[in-house]
Amino acid sequence: MSKRRAVRKYTDVVVPGLSGRRAVVTGASDGIGLGLAERLARAGAELVLPVRNPVKGELAVQRIRTAVPDAVVTTRPLDLASLHSVAGLADGLLQEGRPVDLLVANAGVMTPPTRNTTTDGYELQLGTNHLGHMALVGRLLPLLRVSDGRSVGARVTTVSSAAARFGRLDWEDLNSERSYSPVRAYNFSKLAQLMFALELDRRSTAHGWGIVSNAAHPGTTYSGLYAAGPGLGSAKPPRTDAVMRRLLAVGVFVQPVEQGLLPVLQAATDPAAGGGTFFGPDGVGHFTGSSAPQRLYRAATDEAAASRLWDVSEGMTGVRFPGGSSGGSSGGFSGGASGGVPDAVPAERE
């Protein structure tokens, strides 16, 4: 007798019509990103899917077009662990000149067992999850903000994690060079993402960018992250993946992608999901459940720390937003094509 997956009850998210809207979703070649992209396509959005693996990207496009035959969906190359790649994607979209109405910062890496670095020398989780996405938003700002002929700015939804509640800012070792812990580095990267989302909304309000920035977390949702990150550098599948599969099968503390994507979907599309809000599952411990507003974790509410992290992150990426604390220019960004990584940070490669 074959095992049947436990039936879960949850309230779906009602998505408004998105016809004529252009949505950029990172990490949409599988998992939550792919499921989210399909839901956006069903609502009529035009999709741009930046992907690291072109084969997986093409398979994702085929799946979306199978589900939504009239979907308008294309891929672009993007490796968030390379600021040069981030700049390349942004340059291409800027050259096209079409406004981006929705950007979902979803891609990420989780708990590689040993310290790996991006091509720019940053700890992989910090560089991919936080710095890569912040650089992308900064470079795409001219397409996201209110501009001539565009009265409404974009919505930027950042996918954080419940792990952010355990994140800590170690100002002396943000790059995990002195000491590396897979979980500690992951928690910090997700806290950094949540702090960025909140700070982006504050700065948008202060400087009139017109961008609505919020965040969401998917609870404990089974996806390829549980194999890709913990199994990085190993030929054997990690035990974590097998445990998650078993819990998913019996419906304990783990939910499938179609349920886990709901908080992100609500944050990204619900007109009532305003700036500075945070969504996640409403079940016990916020592991699973229907989408609901979440209380912000205490560390994420420290506005002084968020502003400091913003400034440090600008220095690390070389991408500077306008209207900063020093009263910067009104342009889109500054920094070289490769991201303008400061000379003080050496480029390490595996």
Side-chain angles (χ1 to χ4, degrees):
M1 181 180 296
S2 61
K3 293 183 178 179
R4 298 179 62 184
R5 180 179 293 179
V7 176
R8 297 165 176 80
K9 295 182 179 180
Y10 58 87
T11 302
D12 197 7
V13 170
V14 177
V15 182
L18 299 175
S19 179
R21 306 290 185 87
R22 198 177 209 202
V24 176
V25 183
T26 68
S29 59
D30 59 15
I32 288 174
L34 177 54
L36 177 70
E38 183 178 320
R39 291 293 302 268
L40 296 177
R42 290 183 184 277
E46 176 196 338
L47 297 174
V48 176
L49 310 183
V51 297
R52 186 170 59 88
N53 184 322
V55 175
K56 291 179 65 176
E58 183 55 36
L59 291 174
V61 169
Q62 291 176 14
R63 170 178 152 173
I64 292 171
R65 287 179 176 162
T66 298
V68 189
D70 59 348
V72 179
V73 52
T74 57
T75 63
R76 303 287 194 284
L78 172 66
D79 181 359
L80 283 161
S82 164
L83 292 172
H84 180 78
S85 178
V86 171
L89 169 66
D91 287 346
L93 292 175
L94 287 166
Q95 189 172 22
E96 293 175 19
R98 296 183 54 199
V100 172
D101 301 289
L102 174 61
L103 192 158
V104 181
N106 165 74
V109 61
M110 183 176 71
T111 63
T114 59
R115 184 180 183 273
N116 290 263
T117 58
T118 68
T119 59
D120 305 288
Y122 300 120
E123 189 276 317
L124 186 62
Q125 297 176 96
L126 171 65
T128 301
N129 301 347
H130 169 55
L131 296 176
H133 279 123
M134 181 173 177
L136 180 61
V137 172
R139 289 186 175 277
L140 289 181
L141 201 63
L143 303 181
L144 297 169
R145 61 187 292 180
V146 169
S147 58
D148 292 341
R150 187 187 188 197
S151 60
V152 179
R155 179 171 298 209
V156 176
T157 294
T158 299
V159 182
S160 182
S161 167
R165 79 177 69 184
F166 306 110
R168 296 293 181 269
L169 287 163
D170 182 352
W171 296 109
E172 302 302 317
D173 194 25
L174 295 179
N175 205 29
S176 298
E177 294 174 294
R178 298 182 181 180
S179 175
Y180 175 74
S181 160
V183 173
R184 185 173 67 242
Y186 178 71
N187 294 349
F188 165 53
S189 75
K190 288 298 173 177
L191 173 62
Q193 285 192 277
L194 181 54
M195 295 176 80
F196 166 73
L198 301 175
E199 182 69 7
L200 175 62
D201 195 70
R202 286 190 288 267
R203 296 195 180 212
S204 174
T205 299
H207 303 301
W209 298 341
I211 295 170
V212 172
S213 174
N214 59 20
H217 78 84
T220 308
T221 298
Y222 178 73
S223 71
L225 277 178
Y226 289 96
L232 189 65
S234 174
K236 297 180 179 179
R239 292 182 178 179
T240 309
D241 186 63
V243 170
M244 294 298 291
R245 285 177 181 272
R246 287 196 292 269
L247 291 175
L248 177 66
V250 298
V252 178
F253 299 127
V254 181
Q255 61 191 0
V257 164
E258 59 266 23
Q259 183 176 351
L261 65 81
L262 296 179
V264 185
L265 184 64
Q266 182 171 11
T269 65
D270 186 347
T277 53
F278 184 39
F279 290 83
D282 65 356
V284 176
H286 304 289
F287 295 109
T288 64
S290 301
S291 176
Q294 307 281 290
R295 178 179 296 179
L296 290 169
Y297 308 135
R298 180 178 298 178
T301 64
D302 187 336
E303 294 186 17
S307 182
R308 180 181 177 184
L309 179 62
W310 181 285
D311 292 342
V312 170
S313 299
E314 283 188 331
M316 296 173 82
T317 62
V319 178
R320 301 190 182 278
F321 290 68
S325 57
S326 60
S329 69
S330 60
F333 61 85
S334 62
S338 64
V341 181
D343 293 337
V345 181
E348 304 172 15
R349 298 178 184 270
E350 296 179 62

